[in-house]
Structures are given as C-alpha cells and as structure tokens.
Amino acid sequence: MKNVFTFVHMFTLAEENYMKAIFHLEHESADEVSTNAIAESMATKPSSVTDMIQKLAEKKLVVYKRYKGAKLTEKGKKIAANVIRKHRLWEVFLVEKLNFHWDEVHEIAEQLEHIQSEELITRLDKFLGSPDFDPHGDPIPDKHGVLKRTEKKLLSEIEKNQKGVCVGVKESSPDFLQYLDKKKISIGTKITVLGKEFFDGSMIIQVGNEQFFISHKIAENLYVQTL
Amino acid sequence: MKNVFTFVHMFTLAEENYMKAIFHLEHESADEVSTNAIAESMATKPSSVTDMIQKLAEKKLVVYKRYKGAKLTEKGKKIAANVIRKHRLWEVFLVEKLNFHWDEVHEIAEQLEHIQSEELITRLDKFLGSPDFDPHGDPIPDKHGVLKRTEKKLLSEIEKNQKGVCVGVKESSPDFLQYLDKKKISIGTKITVLGKEFFDGSMIIQVGNEQFFISHKIAENLYVQTL
DNA sequence: GTTATTTTTTAGTCTTGGCTAAAAATAAAA
DNA sequence: TTTTATTTTTAGCCAAGACTAAAAAATAAC
Ligand SMILES: [Mn+2]
Ligand SMILES: [Mn+2]
Ligand SMILES: [Mn+2]
Ligand SMILES: [Mn+2]
C-alpha cells in the first residue's frame, strides 16, 4: 500500500503495535522479551514475530540477537511510549468528552493511537486538561515519553485490616470492568480488607457499606494505594 | 497485514479511499467515472485503479464494464458518504474543540475518517451538536449517507452589483484558505460584486469596508448564496 | 552427557496494493 | 476510412506482513 501520511518519522501500524507490545512486556518481566511472549501478546505466530523484530533491529528500534529475544532501544522506547500516550489520551477523551463507559474505549483507542500528528496530540492533551491518568488508572507518558510510575500495589498484596484506594486495574477487559461496576468499584473507591484466605487468596472486602467476597483472580487485577 | 479491526462491514483504507474518490468525481461530472480521473485525483497510476475497481466490482461496491469506467452502487455510495461524514465531523471537532485553523485539518481528517466505530461517530456527532456543515462549508451527510445539497453558486457566476454570503470553498488547500484569511473572507462573510471583467473573469469585490481585486481563479473557488 | 522437549528461526507461500512496460480498445485526425 | 493518439487493461514484478512446515538452537529430563 501507498504511504498516505507524509511525516518525518513514520512507522507502520504493525511496527507501532510491535514496539508497544514489547514495551509492555519489558515492564512486566525481564527486559529481554521472548519471541513467544510477543507472539502470544499479539495473537500472532512466532515466525511472524521473528520477521518483524529483525526488521525493527535493522531500523535500530530494538536490539536483537538470534535466539536471545528483543529489547527496545532508547529510540524504540520513545516511540512506543508515544503510542501509549496517544492511546491513553484518546481513552480519556472518549470517557470524559464522549461519555463512553470505561469498558468500551480500548478497541477504539487501539485505532486512534496510530493517528499521526504531533500537533493533534498537543492540542488534545491541552483540551483534556493534561490528564496524568487514563480511565483505567494507567499513567499517561509525557511528550518526551517519560512515564512516571506511582507506588501502587495489587489488592492481593495488602494485608488484613489494611485500607486502600483503588487507583487502577491491571486487566481492562470489558468483562472485568463490568464486574467492578456491579460491585460499585471504580477509580477512587476505598476498599478495606476484612479477611484474607491463605489457601486460595480470596478476600472479604468492604466497599462503601457493602461487604462481600472476592476471588484471588479479582484481587490480583486491582491496583490500590494503601492509606 | 492482519485484520486488526473486527467489524461486520469492514473495508480497507484503500477501498474506502477509492470509494470516496469515485463519490466525489461522480458529483462533479458525469456519473461514469473514468479510470484516469480516479488515478489523477488519487495521485496513483491508472493500472492500479483498474485493479482496484475490479475488486470493488467483485464486492458489488461499484458497477464496472471494461473501458467504460466505474459507478458506485447504492451500497458503495452509502459507504463513501459515511467516510465523508466522518471526515467532516472530525474536521468540525478539530476546529471547534481543538482550535485548529481551517487550513490545518484536512490531512488529519484524512486519517481519522477511517476509524471504525459506529458508536464513536454517533457520540462525536452529538458532542458537536450535530453540525450540518464542516469548517469549509461542505455539508455533512446524515447517518444514512444522505447529503442534502444546498443551492449555492460560485462567486464567479454572480453578476455585478449582486451581494452574496460566503457559504463554502471549492478548493480547500492551505494556500487558498490562507489567501482568504488575508482578505478577511470566511464562512458567513458578505461579499458584494462591484465590478466584473469579461475578458478574464476577474472582479472587484467589497468585503466589509475593503474593496479589492480578485482573479477568476479565486472567484471560481468560492461558494456564495445570493442575498 | 545423551536424549527429548521446547523455543526460535528459516524457507517458502499468500494477499493486498502499489509499480512499469506492453498490449488492446477506444477516440480523434487526417 | 485509415491512421494516429489517447485511454484503459493486462502481464509481470515488488514490498509488507501475515501464515505453515521444516530445520536448528537452546533447555530440560533422564
Ligand atoms: Mn486501552
Ligand atoms: Mn487504558
Ligand atoms: Mn477535508
Ligand atoms: Mn472539509
């Protein structure tokens, strides 16, 4: 296909998605990311991943050694962070301005994150009041690609009788988010751990006036800041 | 490339751009659109156009007879109109909400028009107050792809001593729009034709308190409604 | 320290959407 | 009505980015 956009730095949709996936994987495990891990996270085949990381290596966007996995260069990291910045800013737009619900915005942001225009993002950011977090509590990288990480814990990591305020979700699938809605949990909600079962990690928690049971699966996907 | 979006009706970026180009060409000349005309309007080669219109014909989006040109089917027309609807709604967003100038929005809208989400456009339209026209005075098709055409004339067509209000531009290149800015002409501006030269079609017009000369090239790219 | 399993890479194909060069059809001139 | 010019199509090629199947390397098990 013909290159429709004429910008200085231009990466294809595929390239951007690979860099983004590697970025996320680097931050949730070792910094050498395996071919298989990338393939799984992108729902594609390892052979396709090998192809692409070799191309990205040519362009100095990742460092790659055969059989050793990939790792973003500074340049690659910046590009990835910028795509994530765009994704999260658009999510804020969709929720704050268009009144989408937080479980509906991800797919649309997956598309919007590839729109190429510095100026657009500068203005969108200002329009939104330069938000620091997206609707799922994820931090928005600044224009230099710097992502400040806050000290947050998984709900599953906090102890009995401790209190926390929900600051984000690890998973943001519609199913999970809708579960949280049902339980009246959203960003900013105060949660108290009333009981914790060692065997399966399940908990009894208090949210507002309600007390109820949650599984470990839930607790390990909710970020809180302890109070 | 892999199909990232999973919608019912999905057309590629290239397909959408071809349908849009054919739509525009149908409305500015005969309804059989020539291969060369499409090629020129898309800055591509006639052989590429032939390829694509054959594919579009397979999918019943255009009717095509060898050496006879292409013509959108009802389905193709609807799809094209919807892309144009999206383009123009996004242009309104960029100008009204992000304070872009009217000469800066076209390229960005060329990208945004391909974002796939019915719901997004429904909400964007509502957010913008369901505008009828884009920043260049072009009508925005409704959600059924119906485009109501207003009775507007080119400034070049109106007579000496007639008055008109500017309702749109035919060209919307940055150069032309910046010329209009310099002359303080925008949508809604009242223009009086004080003189008209038959030889070259140039005019003397009045805009506010200023009187000045404009060439035929300018006059045939400005739409007005006579008062 | 071999053997077996898993992971990763290579080789070869496919589709989309471009391109050029040549052939065929149509339109214009003579 | 021929000849010439223009338009359109076909044929063949290329790059991106996917895939499958097979080979090679790295790990894990024995
Ligand atoms: Mn998201
Ligand atoms: Mn998010
Ligand atoms: Mn436009
Ligand atoms: Mn416009």
Side-chain angles (χ1 to χ4, degrees), chain B residues 59-150:
Chain B
K59 300 186 182 182
K60 310 285 183 201
L61 298 169
V62 303
V63 313
Y64 164 69
K65 206 83 184 280
R66 271 157 67 262
Y67 293 100
K68 289 273 291 176
K71 185 169 139 62
L72 290 168
T73 61
E74 275 312 305
K75 193 179 170 198
K77 222 173 278 182
K78 233 171 146 172
I79 293 159
N82 197 244
V83 174
I84 292 164
R85 171 173 165 78
K86 290 191 279 179
H87 182 107
R88 292 179 180 167
L89 282 172
W90 281 116
E91 283 189 345
V92 172
F93 168 72
L94 294 172
V95 168
E96 296 293 315
K97 301 297 182 178
L98 299 194
N99 300 117
F100 273 99
H101 198 262
W102 70 339
D103 67 339
E104 303 173 308
V105 297
H106 183 75
E107 289 306 312
I108 300 173
E110 283 294 307
Q111 301 178 59
L112 287 164
E113 72 189 6
H114 301 290
I115 302 292
Q116 305 277 354
S117 166
E118 278 291 313
E119 186 64 18
L120 173 61
I121 296 308
T122 302
R123 286 175 185 261
L124 180 64
D125 178 58
K126 184 184 275 180
F127 180 59
L128 299 173
S130 298
D132 292 319
F133 298 95
D134 86 357
H136 312 103
D138 293 314
I140 298 174
D142 70 19
K143 66 187 68 195
H144 309 293
V146 179
L147 208 162
K148 64 167 169 295
R149 302 185 170 273
T150 53

Side-chain angles (χ1 to χ4, degrees), chain A residues 87 91 106 136:
Chain A
H87 182 108
E91 283 189 345
H106 184 74
H136 312 104

